[in-house]
Amino acid sequence: MQKQYKVIKPGSSILDLGCAPEQKVKVPSLHCDARVRTVCADVMNLPKCQVKALSPQQLGFSVILSDMCPLVSGITTKDAALSAELGMRALDLAVGGTAILDDIIQRERQSDGSDSSPDDRGVLKRGGHLIIKFLESEDVQVEFANHSLERHHG
């Protein structure tokens, strides 16, 4: 995906959700420096303000990757629904508010951001990239239109 779309550019700040489920991540010192931080937490209960505080200058991330996967039960419909729930949480962390794109777009058009509390706003920078992996089944299919969410400066 990186080769085709080049979403990660030099200087990008990256949030990787689900990089090592329920495990502590060992950051190889040969490839990483003090800018790399790891957090072992339940993403469903992690406040946006704490996530944003991990970003450089607390300004948010330019790329958010969500490779989260639920504990697979083998029941495809259940697994896909749980995957969708994790994906919607990633969307909420990224752009804030509700997980319904129309509500997000409407709120962005109505507000320059001053009406919403800081925890309602997402941690994805303007012009950033969000990539979410979903498990699907025939009964549960996650569909998103290819929207460009432009955030207006006040």
Side-chain angles (χ1 to χ4, degrees):
M1 189 177 284
Q2 173 62 14
K3 285 181 184 178
Q4 184 173 354
Y5 297 105
K6 298 176 180 34
V7 295
I8 300 172
K9 297 179 175 42
S12 291
S13 54
I14 303 163
L15 175 62
D16 186 357
L17 300 170
C19 65
E22 300 183 23
Q23 297 176 35
K24 279 212 162 221
V25 178
K26 294 184 180 177
V27 178
S29 58
L30 180 62
H31 302 289
C32 301
D33 59 26
R35 294 173 294 175
V36 176
R37 297 186 196 168
T38 62
V39 175
C40 185
D42 179 357
V43 73
M44 301 304 278
N45 297 313
L46 192 58
K48 289 183 201 98
C49 60
Q50 285 184 11
V51 176
K52 198 166 200 170
L54 296 170
S55 67
Q57 290 87 41
Q58 301 177 1
L59 297 174
F61 297 92
S62 49
V63 178
I64 298 177
L65 308 171
S66 174
D67 191 28
M68 296 186 288
C69 185
L71 292 174
V72 179
S73 68
I75 303 168
T76 57
T77 303
K78 177 182 178 182
D79 295 339
L82 291 172
S83 175
E85 185 177 349
L86 289 171
M88 293 302 177
R89 176 61 179 148
L91 178 63
D92 180 52
L93 276 173
V95 297
T98 67
I100 300 169
L101 287 175
D102 290 341
D103 288 349
I104 294 166
I105 292 167
Q106 181 181 1
R107 187 177 64 242
E108 290 296 328
R109 286 182 181 152
Q110 291 175 347
S111 170
D112 64 0
S114 58
D115 319 352
S116 56
S117 72
D119 198 47
D120 284 344
R121 289 182 235 131
V123 300
L124 183 64
K125 288 181 176 179
R126 287 182 177 93
H129 300 281
L130 171 63
I131 300 170
I132 304 174
K133 176 187 84 175
F134 289 98
L135 298 177
E136 291 186 336
S137 74
E138 290 180 15
D139 296 330
V140 179
Q141 294 187 352
V142 180
E143 295 183 26
F144 286 104
N146 187 8
H147 289 286
S148 173
L149 298 178
E150 292 186 19
R151 295 184 179 206
H152 303 282
H153 295 279

